Amino acid sequence: MDTAEVRRRFIAHFEARGHQAVPSASLLLDDPNLLFVNAGMVPFKPYFLGQVTPSYNRAVSIQKCVRTPDIEDVGKTTRHGTFFEMCGNFSFGDYFKEGAIEYAWELVTGSVDRGGFGFEESKLYPSVYEDDPEAVELWRKVTGLPDERIVRLGKKENYWSMGVPGPGGPCSEILIDRGPAYGADGDFGAEDRYLEFWNLVFMQDELSAVRSKEDFDIAGSLPKKNIDTGMGLERVALLLQGKDNMYEIDVMFPVIEKAQELTGRRYGKDHDDDVRFRVVADHIRSSMMLIADGVTPGNEARGYVLRRLLRRAVRSMRLLGCEDRVLPELMPVSRDKMGESYTALHSDWERISTVAFAEEDAFRQTLRTGTSIFDLAAQEAKAGGQTSLSGSKAFALHDTYGFPIDLTLEMAAEQGLQVDEGEFRRLMTEQRERAKADARAKKGQHASGGAYRTVADELGRAVQFTGYDEVVTEARVGGLIDAGGASVRSVGEGSEVELVLDRTPFYAEGGGQLADQGVVELGNGARVEILDVQSPITGLIVHQARVLSGEVTVGEPAHASVDIERRRSISRAHTATHMVHKAFREALGETATQAGSENAPGRFRFDFSATGAVPQSAMVDVEARVNDLVLADLAVHAEIMTQDEARKSGAMALFGEKYGDQVRVISVGDWARELCGGTHAGRSGQLGVIKLLGESSIGSGVRRVEALVGGDAYRFLAREHVLVAQLSEALKARPEELPERVNDLVERLRAAEKEIEKVRMAQILSAAGELAAGAKDVFGVGFVGHRVDGANAGDVRKLALDIRGRMAAGRPGVVAIIGSSNGKPAVVVTVNDEGRSWGISANALVKVAAQALGGSGGGKDDVAQGGGADLTHVDQALVDVEHAVGRAATAR
């Protein structure tokens, strides 16, 4: 049974039993605790937490998931990968344990002819939480299985929670016995033998404290009992297809087959190669699905994970022996298999492939650059008598150049060097901690979410956002979180606090739009300045604030006022972003899809997919197009509709954004239409003018345009006008003649610089003949040691080689020249053929000079160069080289 059929049967089974089929949510959700959706229930969390009331009591979904903590272990086990699909059926206060068990057992054991999976009952073992006798009785009742076939397990295996205070409950798994070849009889801890493929979570408890998976407090029962099911699609597929592991199922193994064709290696012959083949199959699929949901390669957070996955896939293919471009060969194979279920992989393939292939090209260049840098670092380590490459060097290669640590380790071993992995790991850990701290600072200081949930529970409902219709709102203080992360009842003057109102006009940062700022005045006379606004958990809007005067108390009435000028300025920028997005798609094609944005007061930046730099002509056309539509004064209006209605209307949904069943569509006239939750200008004419400042690359296949709007754009253009007038006056030329006049001046200046350089080099080299003729005799070796101030490394090299060429033939000769440029010395040592026949090496001599100068150097026996940091020891360095020449000559 192929994977698509497993999926179809799961959905059909539960639809026939009254469940609403819900499409998979994006892998990206606005949750401070999650980088990606990592479980099938994640999109339904607001329902389980009581923050949002669902429009249905039963649901079924096949949810895309990505888990990243163990990327380096992918392929080493046969059942874990980064991307996977979780089949789930959910009950929100409807059926509970008995219904969940019945539905699961019917599908799992039902005959294939009647839409079931057809698993043999004799191989199945339900597991239950050891303190849940009710579940034991229900399994007996529903299945008729004897007691010894129902396995009791502890909290670690069979109790579920989110890891934080909130809903939880015992769970019940369905295990399948794969036979003695996979482990001992009755050893239910051996997951290969008794493979779990279905998990029923009986969400019935309210947890007040969660200290670990097995250590928590139960405060009481939930007001509504819920069901959360997770069935691993890949695990069921491998069982029904008779495969040993998930990498061999129909949606993954074709990539391995293609990789075998490209590399000439065979899967199943060598363990290390098998791991690499699995890494390729997993990472190709995971990367493709992440790009499809709007992630682009980068150096932070989600972008870094994607970059790492793509580069590990390319690196694994290189280790398998293929050094050509591989993504154009492998990714279409994965697309064709996954595209059976996710048709957008085909319709959006041009954008997806552009991003992926550009990242591979960038990584190939990184490998070339990183290899050169590694070679230099290894050379320096060996020259210094070291047997190990420092962890800081390995970290710099990884962090700055994207050079994989496993490649550094491999190349170091080839050079007979070790790598200080301890230091490397420490630096990596410090970097991760800094990144986490930055994320916490951005989303609020308490990313664990415990304090937020406490406030949300006390509030009892989602915070109402009134900012679409008003900028002043009467509200009530619903919660306070102090600087230490605790929910408190009051705070005093001067305090930094996170303030929650029951309703607010302040827009929380999201969708690229910066947060509102303003003031909240309380009924007791207290005054609070709003500095930032975030939505750390669904349904909660949190104002990061400073108490200017008085005392702020929970329950106090509040008068909330948005900074209206800031709001208007940001709203104009947001509307301009929509217009520029549409204009770029018209100019460059449908692949120019937004990949990020920031809408700030009076300015915005807009990131979009592109294969290369945007032609200047396209920039001019886009700017003209949007400003024509500004002049047209188009109405900007918002509509609420279903997602299907929005798609039919031509509205564009941005990848990575979270949209509900009901969506808000912003239209600029009948021209630009997008799903958007932000605030906007009332008409395009209110934007005044849009000025594109320029575009640049911010990553593989992603360009960034920065622009000004309204008054900021006008002031910029006014400054430009003044500058043009000043240049026209200085050059005595009309404005339209300035480009030609400036170009002429630049060409003349370049010609003059070349002439000056020729004269300078002639002056430097003019002394070559005299220096060669005056070579000092050092035990039979002609030696020239000379200092040239104001000469860079290139100048020094030319002079040293010129002097060597002028020295008397048939006599050993050594030239050592030290120049100085920008306050630092540069040294070059050359030795002629006769000198090398005497055993004199430029490589050895340059190290003598560099040591005196406080630096390092190296090269070949005939020419070597180096540098240093101490100009005060130039004369001593020349003396040291002369002495070294003497020692070499007398030792001959």
Side-chain angles (χ1 to χ4, degrees):
M1 187 181 298
D2 63 30
T3 303
E5 179 63 12
V6 175
R7 174 200 306 277
R8 189 197 66 76
R9 287 178 181 237
F10 188 89
I11 294 291
H13 177 79
F14 286 100
E15 276 191 312
R17 288 153 181 78
H19 292 65
Q20 172 67 46
V22 179
S24 174
S26 167
L27 285 164
L28 320 179
L29 285 185
D30 187 16
D31 188 320
N33 301 308
L34 294 176
L35 203 58
F36 303 108
V37 170
N38 63 356
M41 60 77 62
V42 169
F44 299 103
K45 276 171 62 177
Y47 301 160
F48 290 128
L49 293 168
Q51 297 167 342
V52 177
T53 301
S55 58
Y56 38 76
N57 293 328
R58 301 180 176 198
V60 57
S61 73
I62 312 276
Q63 176 60 45
K64 300 176 289 186
C65 302
V66 166
R67 292 182 184 170
T68 61
D70 303 315
I71 287 178
E72 292 179 1
D73 293 326
V74 167
K76 296 177 183 177
T77 71
T78 57
R79 60 181 180 273
H80 293 103
T82 49
F83 175 87
F84 61 96
E85 297 180 82
M86 190 59 69
C87 307
N89 61 284
F90 306 91
S91 167
F92 310 110
D94 191 1
Y95 63 85
F96 197 47
K97 292 182 183 180
E98 184 170 3
I101 292 171
E102 286 179 352
Y103 293 151
W105 198 250
E106 286 172 359
L107 178 57
V108 169
T109 62
S111 70
V112 173
D113 291 343
R114 300 184 64 182
F117 292 146
F119 284 107
E120 294 180 34
E121 288 189 17
S122 61
K123 294 183 178 180
L124 302 178
Y125 289 78
S127 72
V128 298
Y129 178 46
E130 58 190 2
D131 291 333
D132 188 8
E134 179 188 9
V136 175
E137 292 304 317
L138 288 172
W139 275 108
R140 287 175 180 156
K141 175 183 175 182
V142 171
T143 67
L145 292 174
D147 189 73
E148 61 270 18
R149 289 277 298 283
I150 302 172
V151 182
R152 281 78 162 173
L153 297 173
K155 289 179 180 178
K156 182 178 179 180
E157 295 85 4
N158 279 69
Y159 193 96
W160 179 90
S161 77
M162 295 190 299
V164 294
C171 56
S172 194
E173 299 176 340
I174 302 178
L175 316 175
I176 187 167
D177 182 0
R178 303 177 75 192
Y182 293 91
D185 290 347
D187 183 5
F188 291 97
E191 193 173 348
D192 281 333
R193 169 73 188 263
Y194 298 95
L195 184 67
E196 174 261 316
F197 64 91
W198 193 303
N199 186 18
L200 299 168
V201 177
F202 307 132
M203 212 175 291
Q204 63 188 41
D205 300 328
E206 177 74 29
L207 307 188
S208 59
V210 180
R211 291 171 290 275
S212 71
K213 186 171 178 59
E214 300 178 66
D215 183 14
F216 50 81
D217 298 332
I218 299 177
S221 299
L222 290 171
K224 287 185 177 181
K225 296 181 179 180
N226 307 308
I227 288 294
D228 161 24
T229 288
M231 185 195 88
L233 180 64
E234 289 84 0
R235 287 197 182 185
V236 172
L238 76 87
L239 292 169
L240 293 177
Q241 292 172 24
K243 303 299 182 182
D244 279 338
N245 62 71
M246 65 175 285
Y247 301 99
E248 297 174 10
I249 64 175
D250 61 313
V251 293
M252 294 190 73
F253 196 68
V255 176
I256 292 179
E257 290 179 315
K258 186 65 176 180
Q260 290 181 116
E261 178 186 325
L262 295 173
T263 63
R265 305 279 183 92
R266 310 270 29 108
Y267 180 75
K269 297 292 185 182
D270 177 84
H271 173 73
D272 289 341
D273 279 358
D274 286 354
V275 170
R276 290 163 186 153
F277 277 122
R278 292 170 190 155
V279 166
V280 170
D282 174 86
H283 287 7
I284 291 289
R285 184 170 77 142
S286 301
S287 301
M288 179 179 67
M289 300 305 291
L290 286 172
I291 297 170
D293 274 2
V295 183
T296 54
N299 292 325
E300 296 179 354
R302 292 164 174 159
Y304 177 72
V305 171
L306 172 59
R307 171 161 287 167
R308 190 176 176 200
L309 291 172
L310 285 168
R311 293 187 171 194
R312 277 174 56 84
V314 173
R315 169 65 179 148
S316 294
M317 288 294 289
R318 289 174 71 90
L319 292 174
L320 287 166
C322 182
E323 297 195 2
D324 296 330
R325 295 175 82 231
V326 296
L327 294 187
E329 299 287 340
L330 297 172
M331 197 167 277
V333 178
S334 188
R335 173 204 61 197
D336 292 344
K337 299 306 297 182
M338 295 301 294
E340 296 175 14
S341 301
Y342 298 100
T343 56
L345 293 174
H346 290 287
S347 61
D348 198 30
W349 180 245
E350 187 173 354
R351 181 188 65 85
I352 295 168
S353 60
T354 295
V355 172
F357 300 167
E359 179 62 19
E360 179 176 17
D361 291 341
F363 183 48
R364 287 167 61 83
Q365 179 59 44
T366 289
L367 289 175
R368 287 190 287 269
T369 304
T371 300
S372 299
I373 294 168
F374 171 85
D375 288 342
L376 180 60
Q379 188 179 66
E380 289 179 354
K382 286 183 173 180
Q386 301 170 11
T387 59
S388 177
L389 195 68
S390 71
S392 60
K393 289 278 189 185
F395 179 75
L397 279 165
H398 171 83
D399 189 50
T400 305
Y401 302 101
F403 211 59
I405 182 61
D406 61 338
L407 183 55
T408 301
L409 291 170
E410 179 180 308
M411 292 175 64
E414 291 170 355
Q415 300 249 9
L417 295 170
Q418 295 180 326
V419 177
D420 188 344
E421 288 190 73
E423 183 184 15
F424 173 82
R425 304 294 176 193
R426 177 180 60 78
L427 292 169
M428 284 293 295
T429 300
E430 290 175 358
Q431 183 192 59
R432 291 192 189 101
E433 291 304 318
R434 286 194 298 271
K436 289 178 181 178
D438 290 344
R440 283 195 295 269
K442 186 64 179 171
K443 284 291 186 182
Q445 301 302 311
H446 322 296
S448 67
Y452 296 135
R453 291 190 183 88
T454 298
V455 172
D457 290 344
E458 291 177 352
L459 203 59
R461 61 177 178 80
V463 174
Q464 180 186 358
F465 175 62
T466 66
Y468 292 137
D469 304 312
E470 60 188 16
V471 290
V472 177
T473 296
E474 300 302 324
R476 176 182 65 84
V477 178
L480 297 167
I481 300 172
D482 67 12
S487 175
V488 296
R489 304 305 297 175
S490 65
V491 292
E493 184 174 327
S495 299
E496 300 282 342
V497 66
E498 293 187 86
L499 167 70
V500 177
L501 303 174
D502 63 339
R503 56 200 310 268
T504 179
F506 289 92
Y507 182 84
E509 180 180 347
Q513 180 172 329
L514 295 188
D516 283 331
Q517 295 178 354
V519 174
V520 173
E521 296 173 316
L522 274 61
N524 62 6
R527 184 176 172 86
V528 179
E529 179 183 13
I530 304 302
L531 306 171
D532 191 16
V533 189
Q534 299 289 334
S535 181
I537 63 174
T538 303
L540 200 66
I541 297 175
V542 178
H543 309 76
Q544 296 179 9
R546 180 187 300 115
V547 182
L548 299 178
S549 62
E551 183 178 46
V552 181
T553 305
V554 172
E556 192 72 21
H559 179 79
S561 304
V562 172
D563 180 338
I564 185 62
E565 288 306 317
R566 175 183 168 86
R567 161 70 77 82
R568 286 173 177 164
S569 188
I570 292 175
S571 297
R572 288 192 291 267
H574 202 157
T575 303
T577 300
H578 282 219
M579 296 175 68
V580 168
H581 185 193
K582 174 68 173 178
F584 268 113
R585 287 171 67 82
E586 286 183 348
L588 302 177
E590 295 299 304
T591 58
T593 304
Q594 182 171 326
S597 67
E598 181 180 270
N599 304 299
R603 63 188 304 122
F604 67 90
R605 67 169 187 248
F606 169 70
D607 304 336
F608 60 99
S609 303
T611 55
V614 180
Q616 183 59 33
S617 59
M619 295 286 286
V620 171
D621 290 345
V622 167
E623 185 173 280
R625 175 71 163 142
V626 294
N627 280 299
D628 283 345
L629 290 161
V630 167
L631 287 174
D633 196 26
L634 302 176
V636 180
H637 57 277
E639 300 173 84
I640 303 298
M641 55 183 76
T642 66
Q643 285 205 40
D644 284 341
E645 291 170 339
R647 278 191 288 269
K648 290 175 182 177
S649 75
M652 186 175 182
L654 300 185
F655 296 99
E657 292 295 324
K658 178 184 176 182
Y659 303 112
D661 298 326
Q662 295 289 309
V663 296
R664 185 168 180 262
V665 177
I666 297 295
S667 301
V668 182
D670 293 324
W671 180 59
R673 183 175 284 116
E674 284 187 20
L675 276 63
C676 180
T679 64
H680 287 270
R683 304 188 68 85
S684 66
Q686 293 173 1
L687 275 57
V689 64
I690 300 172
K691 177 59 187 173
L692 305 185
L693 300 178
E695 68 90 37
S696 60
S697 171
I698 61 166
S700 303
V702 183
R703 310 296 295 186
R704 169 170 292 173
V705 167
E706 300 195 56
L708 300 174
V709 187
D712 291 79
Y714 170 78
R715 286 185 286 274
F716 173 83
L717 292 171
R719 290 193 299 271
E720 292 280 291
H721 178 72
V722 171
L723 179 60
V724 168
Q726 290 172 338
L727 287 171
S728 295
E729 176 65 25
L731 297 176
K732 306 302 181 187
R734 293 192 301 274
E736 62 270 22
E737 296 173 340
L738 286 177
E740 183 178 354
R741 185 66 61 85
V742 170
N743 185 62
D744 180 58
L745 285 174
V746 169
E747 289 301 319
R748 287 161 59 188
L749 179 60
R750 285 175 178 164
E753 286 176 342
K754 289 179 181 178
E755 288 302 317
I756 292 171
E757 177 64 15
K758 288 180 181 178
V759 172
R760 190 179 70 84
M761 281 306 304
Q763 289 176 337
I764 290 174
L765 297 176
S766 64
E770 183 180 346
L771 290 169
K776 185 177 182 179
D777 183 83
V778 179
F779 297 100
V781 177
F783 174 72
V784 175
H786 185 61
R787 172 177 182 163
V788 185
D789 291 327
N792 59 35
D795 299 336
V796 170
R797 187 181 182 91
K798 289 178 183 177
L799 178 59
L801 292 173
D802 194 17
I803 295 172
R804 187 184 70 178
R806 293 171 182 265
M807 296 182 76
R811 180 188 183 191
V814 174
V815 181
I817 306 295
I818 300 178
S820 62
S821 178
N822 298 321
K824 292 186 177 180
V827 58
V828 172
V829 177
T830 68
V831 180
N832 64 12
D833 292 341
E834 290 81 4
R836 292 199 303 280
S837 71
W838 279 36
I840 303 172
S841 166
N843 181 49
L845 294 176
V846 82
K847 288 180 170 58
V848 173
Q851 184 175 6
L853 297 170
S856 60
K860 298 180 180 180
D861 287 342
D862 61 336
V863 182
Q865 67 185 59
D870 190 353
L871 278 172
T872 63
H873 288 79
V874 170
D875 294 337
Q876 183 61 50
L878 293 172
V879 170
D880 290 349
V881 173
E882 181 181 337
H883 290 167
V885 169
R887 288 194 296 273
T890 56
R892 176 174 172 267

